[in-house]
Amino acid sequence: MQEKEILQNLREKFSELYGDGDVALYFAPGRVNLIGEHTDYNGGHVFPCALTLGTYAAVRKRTDDKIRMASLNMNDAAIEEMTLGDYTNKAEGSWTNYPRGVIWAMSEKNFTIPTGFEVLYYGNIPAGSGLSSSASLEVLTALFIKDQYGFDAVEQLDLAFLGQTAESDFVGMKCGIMDQFASAMGKENAAMFLETDTMKFDYLPLKLDAAKIVITNSMVKHELASSEYNTRRSECESAVQDLQAKYDIKTLGELSPEQFEEGKELIADETKRKRAKHAVYENDRTIRAVEALKQNDIATFGKLMNESHVSLRDDYAVSCPEIDDLTSWAWEIDGVVGSRITGGGFGGCTVSIIKEAAVDTYKETAEKKYQEKYGKKPEFYVVDPGAGAHRISQ
Ligand code: GLA
């Protein structure tokens, strides 16, 4: 569906659910990470871009203390109603925990909403695909609350921090800042090179030399991701503690590969050593990949993407057989510059950079082999980087 149709549908359904009247419309994108995976909570660098896919909201303030939420993606758009203050209780297994978490995170910062609202969401990011549908929902909610209630002190970057707090401290997935950052700060045709310990960042125009960003959805939902993710994170933190016997560091992102090699024996546990190795080397790869892109050296960028995948597969152990097959098949095709798993892992998508002339061959080959081996079709999205969260003028 085109944006125009999405918005028309959203308006119509909003009126059916909540009655006629004025509504305000907002959008926040999902993201794809080109390189720099599992580095953000390790104080390292990431290089994501926002997508034109994301989550939309139609919103209207109420005068009473009721908050009413529905989503066209969930349970026949059934309304979940809560009273101001109630949102602090998590709803068992409900998607509303993301927006509830955001209202909670904002009230913790003294941006407390004085009246309720009614909202209808619609998202076109496939759920569980690792393209940050949850981050887009969080950033979107923070944005419309800021806008509707006039919380002018909340800046665009704050939307990212509020979303991350909601996800980490309310929902319980101890995520880094990358996804919410990309959703809030995205820019058309640019990727973002972010240093997560200082939050310094640059927009880099994506000049890919007649190549495209192709996302391939394995259709394996990353259901176990949250608990495994939190485990990886604590393994890295524990490795830092071991390394502190030699280095005055707070995060793995402060170490070069050479320093890591000199100190790695301090990490007694082999699994933790592998996790730390990934975090250190991936950070270094990300810095080198961006350098290569600045020199228009797409080939090196692609090679580093492939190395990133191998490290995520073997040392960080966040891939799965379906994704490993998709990447290996991609690497064999002429015109595929690079291909790797993207996002948190345990399913979801690969991201590949593919010469325009080879995109069809890639799709046909991947689809045929995947269908033969796994009995299902992958989905493909050829994407351009999109803008960050914004209100839609009507
Ligand atoms: C998830 C998290 C991010 C990041 C990635 C892995 O998407 O939300 O913060 O850690 O995994 O790079």
Side-chain angles (χ1 to χ4, degrees):
M1 254 198 288
Q2 295 298 309
E3 181 161 89
K4 211 171 144 215
E5 287 169 69
I6 292 175
L7 295 175
Q8 192 181 339
N9 188 40
L10 200 58
R11 267 206 211 92
E12 279 170 23
K13 294 283 168 22
F14 186 95
S15 297
E16 281 168 29
L17 274 182
Y18 301 119
D20 290 336
D22 283 348
V23 292
L25 300 169
Y26 300 85
F27 173 75
R31 64 94 188 92
V32 64
N33 188 23
L34 298 172
I35 193 161
E37 215 67 84
H38 291 277
T39 46
D40 61 350
Y41 53 86
N42 282 310
H45 295 74
V46 293
F47 193 50
C49 53
L51 299 172
T52 54
L53 298 172
T55 311
Y56 294 83
V59 187
R60 181 162 61 208
K61 273 201 291 188
R62 294 174 61 93
T63 48
D64 61 9
D65 61 358
K66 297 284 175 240
I67 298 174
R68 305 180 87 200
M69 296 182 182
S71 162
L72 291 177
N73 302 83
M74 303 285 173
N75 318 325
D76 299 324
I79 297 175
E80 291 211 28
E81 183 171 293
M82 55 213 98
T83 306
L84 277 189
D86 266 5
Y87 54 78
T88 53
N89 300 320
K90 272 198 251 182
E92 193 59 47
S94 168
W95 65 273
T96 61
N97 286 329
Y98 296 100
R100 279 169 196 257
V102 171
I103 311 171
W104 167 79
M106 295 187 82
S107 66
E108 290 288 291
K109 295 271 176 210
N110 288 326
F111 299 113
T112 306
I113 55 173
T115 58
F117 61 84
E118 46 214 13
V119 60
L120 179 62
Y121 294 100
Y122 169 74
N124 55 5
I125 304 171
S129 63
L131 300 177
S132 295
S133 55
S134 53
S136 73
L137 177 55
E138 292 152 3
V139 169
L140 177 70
T141 304
L143 170 66
F144 74 66
I145 291 177
K146 165 207 154 78
D147 192 54
Q148 289 290 309
Y149 296 92
F151 296 140
D152 294 340
V154 177
E155 300 198 359
Q156 192 74 10
L157 183 59
D158 296 327
L159 304 176
F161 288 119
L162 291 164
Q164 183 199 22
T165 304
E167 176 112 22
S168 169
D169 299 349
F170 194 87
V171 179
M173 152 110 175
K174 303 282 172 207
C175 64
I177 191 65
M178 171 171 70
D179 304 350
Q180 291 81 4
F181 173 84
S183 181
M185 305 301 290
K187 198 167 164 177
E188 273 178 33
N189 298 317
M192 292 160 275
F193 183 43
L194 168 69
E195 188 181 300
T196 57
D197 64 338
T198 59
M199 291 306 287
K200 278 197 203 136
F201 65 96
D202 269 335
Y203 290 107
L204 246 97
L206 268 187
K207 285 186 264 150
L208 293 178
D209 188 19
K212 289 281 181 197
I213 304 172
V214 181
I215 297 174
T216 306
N217 188 350
S218 68
M219 311 304 279
V220 178
K221 288 200 177 180
H222 61 172
E223 266 146 9
L224 281 174
S226 180
S227 60
E228 287 293 330
Y229 185 94
N230 292 349
T231 307
R232 295 297 177 285
R233 184 170 182 148
S234 55
E235 284 166 346
C236 288
E237 283 161 3
S238 162
V240 169
Q241 282 174 6
D242 291 345
L243 288 163
Q244 280 167 343
K246 181 175 170 72
Y247 295 114
D248 180 19
I249 52 164
K250 290 201 183 61
T251 64
L252 293 168
E254 292 169 63
L255 288 185
S256 66
E258 294 72 27
Q259 288 171 314
F260 175 77
E261 291 302 329
E262 272 170 37
K264 68 181 181 192
E265 301 307 329
L266 289 167
I267 311 170
D269 181 274
E270 202 192 321
T271 303
K272 290 179 188 166
R273 206 182 309 139
K274 281 164 95 178
R275 307 296 191 245
K277 180 182 171 203
H278 166 77
V280 171
Y281 278 78
E282 179 75 354
N283 185 37
D284 181 64
R285 270 191 290 275
T286 307
I287 298 168
R288 286 192 288 136
V290 169
E291 217 26 68
L293 199 64
K294 285 184 183 160
Q295 312 294 326
N296 289 323
D297 181 359
I298 313 287
T300 298
F301 189 89
K303 195 170 144 274
L304 291 163
M305 286 176 80
N306 299 348
E307 286 174 18
S308 161
H309 184 77
V310 171
S311 174
L312 288 157
R313 182 189 69 193
D314 299 344
D315 288 335
Y316 221 64
V318 290
S319 190
C320 64
E322 291 87 343
I323 294 270
D324 290 338
D325 276 330
L326 286 170
T327 48
S328 307
W329 297 332
W331 297 338
E332 286 164 9
I333 296 172
D334 258 1
V336 173
V337 181
S339 183
R340 56 182 286 278
I341 190 169
T342 187
F346 307 100
C349 295
T350 66
V351 59
S352 312
I353 301 209
I354 306 182
K355 297 275 180 200
E356 265 165 50
V359 170
D360 286 344
T361 312
Y362 164 76
K363 285 197 206 164
E364 282 155 24
T365 313
E367 182 171 312
K368 183 161 174 286
K369 290 190 172 179
Y370 202 72
Q371 176 92 42
E372 267 167 27
K373 184 153 179 188
Y374 296 106
K376 57 182 171 190
K377 280 190 185 172
E379 278 181 6
F380 304 98
Y381 322 108
V382 180
V383 298
D384 292 311
H390 55 273
R391 183 171 177 162
I392 299 168
S393 53
Q394 7 179 357

